[in-house]
Amino acid sequence: MAAGNLLVAQGGGPTAVINCSLVGVIEEAKLFSNKNIGNIIGVLRSIDGLLDEDLIDLRKESQSTLKNICQTPGAALGSCRRKMKEEDYGRILEIFMKYNIRYFFYIGGNGSMHTAHKIDDLAKKNGYDLKVIGIPKTIDNDLEYTDHTPGFGSAARFIASITKEIGLDIKSLPTPISIIETPGRNAGWLAAASSLAKEKDGDAPNLIYVPEKIFSLELFLSDVENVYRKYGRAVVVVCEGLKDEYGQYLGGIKSEASKDGFGRNLPGGAAYFLSEKISEQLKLRARYEKPGLAARASMEYISSIDQHEAYQVGQMAVRFALNGNSGMMMTLLRNKGEKYRCKIGSVALESVAITEKLLPSRFINSKCNYVTEAFLNYCRPLIGNPIRSFQSLSAFKISKNSTVKKQNK
Amino acid sequence: MAAGNLLVAQGGGPTAVINCSLVGVIEEAKLFSNKNIGNIIGVLRSIDGLLDEDLIDLRKESQSTLKNICQTPGAALGSCRRKMKEEDYGRILEIFMKYNIRYFFYIGGNGSMHTAHKIDDLAKKNGYDLKVIGIPKTIDNDLEYTDHTPGFGSAARFIASITKEIGLDIKSLPTPISIIETPGRNAGWLAAASSLAKEKDGDAPNLIYVPEKIFSLELFLSDVENVYRKYGRAVVVVCEGLKDEYGQYLGGIKSEASKDGFGRNLPGGAAYFLSEKISEQLKLRARYEKPGLAARASMEYISSIDQHEAYQVGQMAVRFALNGNSGMMMTLLRNKGEKYRCKIGSVALESVAITEKLLPSRFINSKCNYVTEAFLNYCRPLIGNPIRSFQSLSAFKISKNSTVKKQNK
């Protein structure tokens, strides 16, 4: 295996722990200095920066910088939204040759895994010895072949925590209906994770809607009305990816400029749209919350397990490449047994790139308006420490007819 | 002064520290047991519950319950959205007499202070010895005669923190425009507080819009375009209370059911509306975040100063009533000097009830699109510990033409 330099990049949307994977790569690679790995190079702005040869020397970063980077939101190297062109790959290979890059680690979601796969493929075709390893990352948890994706646990913890906190607020001053919108274009994992907020019947969330099931406004309104009749309030969690009968995002921003790099309309109005419908049709006061990017950027609700696993997949990716592997993405494989543990596995980049892991039907209830116990068991360990528990007053009632104890006068 | 029982209620929307004020009242009142204060009674669901005589014995709550209640979102006693009728006051006085209530503490905003004032007035007219003290609370910081209102500091810390976190996310993967919507119907204090996120030029937030100044869509779009041209991105904070030329909330939900108890339309669509306008008119991709109730319910971003002061106003209200005062609201008065300190003062309930403290012009810049240094100085101490600081890579550039050090082979 050719000795040479290492290159690492971060692709797609950041997560709260994407920098832990970066630091995992750097710290592990340092252990193999002067053996197989020479320079440890970071690419700024992902593929955009790579094509500009916008490279930095990560070996020179101090220990304390690396430590603090793990606690910083955003992608420390920067990312991009590039729509790859065929000619980009050839150019990338030239740059790799110029800088004698022999190890390439790409931290990203399925778009990034597709790019990594193409680079690996081209290197092989050109007989250039390059080890390409994908490191999974996404809050959406939509990568196949891995039990879950680093980044999801922290976003899940954020969503479950604020659902619980908002639920207590709403309980003390009932707004009849409150709708919380979560990220997730096609996959409802984060909306589903809000279920970890519920301790007992009636607690928030009362209803959860995910894009995996066909959305019916009529059934939605009837569900909301039923919950309202029972509890006098309803906290409803909806995924931004809910679509109408024409396949358009509910309340999505329609203008051309807000399409994504792949020509898709942007979601982001489902809760607004549905709160208007509730208000118009059920004649109930409705409000909505859309924490949006805070779900992946907030560092206060982070999952310790998620941080640990994100670091670990970065670290293991380096070992895996040094063992001669290429064209693979690291995965997390959950042990059977009672106690939660994951070991690290791998899967071909090619397979991951073309799939999208949606919530399976066994995680969604038959009415398509909540999750199942099986989902709760799946999700609970991923958020690390349980979300905060809160206190209510014991509330010792004073009888209306009681003679209230009077004071010395 | 008549000895008798104490009654405490929480009115209006909760804050992250409203329960600290409640516990301040309870713990201070306990010190005067068997002297002037007999039972310590809590009202569930505020005035709604009071009229139903839905009362609880707060003396029986354990120390640990009270401690934990201080860390719990929502109003522990429950609140309500009652539109008071004239006959309600007479009924309240009857209930006070029935339970020999001689001390009434109402934790709330200006609506609650109005109610407290009317109760105080009626008791005086009827020659019933009652001490009524208002305890200020609101995230909106819109009460006059107090330097700031308990509840604001914690919500301000939340808004500033997530603006910073979202800003770092956006910086690493530029979405051209991101709009963050904050609470505040008429007063822009919370939108303004986002400014504490900025460390250097170009950092989020780039622009801030508050309802105190007339909003011009044309100027807004031109400001956004200018920031985008300079930095390639813009994080814009807008207050939900922004209004169009007809005085209607931008993007506000218009149906009848979503009017508030006082017949006012509800805000809550400003960021959605403006992101559509940017997308349509500037042809720039725009997204928005609306954390909504999370700003007042999140317990992870709480301000320690705010918690302390909220407790203190509750505590001092009891002492103040025992000193024979009534018809007053406790206030916070900031010392001049360098180091931040507040002492507790008081103001007539009648004065507070009819006013609303808006951001003064000296806190808003001349372009009406950001705050001034004076505002930063005012706001900074209120959030307690500074918001987290984050790390960026030192990013030692690798020269494009450099011969990259190759590894032993």
Side-chain angles (χ1 to χ4, degrees), chain A residues 29-204:
Chain A
K30 280 183 172 177
L31 303 179
F32 297 92
S33 300
N34 304 318
K35 250 172 77 185
N36 287 84
I37 297 174
N39 280 7
I40 302 171
I41 302 174
V43 185
L44 300 182
R45 299 177 294 115
S46 201
I47 303 296
D48 280 352
L50 179 55
L51 293 168
D52 293 342
E53 300 175 48
D54 204 355
L55 309 178
I56 62 170
D57 185 344
L58 291 171
R59 241 186 229 293
K60 291 187 181 158
E61 300 290 339
S62 72
Q63 281 286 94
S64 92
T65 295
L66 295 182
K67 183 167 164 271
N68 294 335
I69 281 289
C70 289
Q71 308 287 342
T72 293
L77 290 171
S79 185
C80 75
R81 291 180 200 285
R82 190 179 188 85
K83 189 165 153 42
M84 297 292 290
K85 294 180 221 120
E86 253 339 281
E87 63 263 35
D88 291 340
Y89 296 104
R91 178 82 190 105
I92 288 170
L93 197 60
E94 282 172 29
I95 294 167
F96 278 18
M97 289 171 171
K98 172 176 174 186
Y99 290 89
N100 191 32
I101 304 300
R102 297 295 178 168
Y103 302 95
F104 175 49
F105 298 94
Y106 203 12
I107 308 168
N110 42 22
S112 306
M113 295 309 138
H114 180 72
T115 301
H117 164 61
K118 298 267 284 185
I119 293 172
D120 180 62
D121 212 40
L122 194 66
K124 281 176 180 146
K125 280 181 186 142
N126 283 271
Y128 179 72
D129 187 0
L130 176 70
K131 306 300 174 207
V132 178
I133 305 290
I135 298 170
K137 160 287 340 171
T138 166
I139 61 165
D140 290 339
N141 201 34
D142 59 357
L143 296 183
E144 268 295 3
Y145 307 103
T146 181
D147 176 74
H148 60 280
T149 313
F152 170 66
S154 294
R157 194 162 192 281
F158 176 92
I159 293 293
S161 298
I162 64 133
T163 299
K164 188 168 186 175
E165 291 171 329
I166 289 173
L168 282 165
D169 186 296
I170 291 276
K171 191 175 173 184
S172 74
L173 176 64
T175 290
I177 313 299
S178 168
I179 304 188
I180 301 173
E181 181 174 319
T182 70
R185 291 196 186 179
N186 301 309
W189 295 97
L190 279 176
S194 67
S195 59
L196 293 173
K198 194 199 280 288
E199 286 178 23
K200 56 181 194 302
D201 197 42
D203 281 355

Side-chain angles (χ1 to χ4, degrees), chain A residues 350-361:
Chain A
E350 195 171 6
S351 317
V352 188
I354 52 168
T355 56
E356 188 173 40
K357 186 173 73 175
L358 303 180
L359 269 176
S361 285

Side-chain angles (χ1 to χ4, degrees), chain A residues 138-326:
Chain A
T138 166
I139 61 165
D140 290 339
N141 201 34
D142 59 357
L143 296 183
E144 268 295 3
Y145 307 103
T146 181
D147 176 74
H148 60 280
T149 313
F152 170 66
S154 294
R157 194 162 192 281
F158 176 92
I159 293 293
S161 298
I162 64 133
T163 299
K164 188 168 186 175
E165 291 171 329
I166 289 173
L168 282 165
D169 186 296
I170 291 276
K171 191 175 173 184
S172 74
L173 176 64
T175 290
I177 313 299
S178 168
I179 304 188
I180 301 173
E181 181 174 319
T182 70
R185 291 196 186 179
N186 301 309
W189 295 97
L190 279 176
S194 67
S195 59
L196 293 173
K198 194 199 280 288
E199 286 178 23
K200 56 181 194 302
D201 197 42
D203 281 355
N206 303 102
L207 295 164
I208 298 174
Y209 297 88
V210 295
E212 281 83 352
K213 298 290 177 182
I214 291 172
F215 182 79
S216 152
L217 183 60
E218 201 183 340
L219 287 177
F220 170 84
L221 291 171
S222 130
D223 287 347
V224 169
E225 195 168 24
N226 287 337
V227 171
Y228 173 71
R229 285 214 184 120
K230 190 163 177 193
Y231 300 109
R233 61 179 187 271
V235 175
V236 183
V237 176
V238 302
C239 183
E240 64 174 3
L242 293 182
K243 293 172 197 77
D244 65 19
E245 60 203 292
Y246 308 105
Q248 291 295 312
Y249 290 120
L250 294 183
I253 293 178
K254 282 161 202 74
S255 77
E256 280 301 306
S258 280
K259 288 188 171 173
D260 69 10
F262 304 90
R264 298 173 297 203
N265 277 325
L266 281 180
Y272 179 86
F273 174 85
L274 293 171
S275 60
E276 285 224 310
K277 290 293 167 208
I278 288 169
S279 184
E280 278 163 29
Q281 299 192 26
L282 300 182
K283 313 288 178 209
L284 290 174
R285 188 175 168 181
R287 57 164 297 137
Y288 72 99
E289 340 293 326
K290 178 182 177 285
L293 293 184
R296 72 188 198 197
S298 165
M299 301 307 283
E300 298 294 337
Y301 291 94
I302 212 162
S303 156
S304 51
I305 288 277
D306 191 28
Q307 277 190 304
H308 173 71
E309 291 177 342
Y311 183 92
Q312 218 183 1
V313 289
Q315 193 180 36
M316 295 299 281
V318 174
R319 292 194 209 166
F320 199 60
L322 286 170
N323 284 338
N325 297 290
S326 187

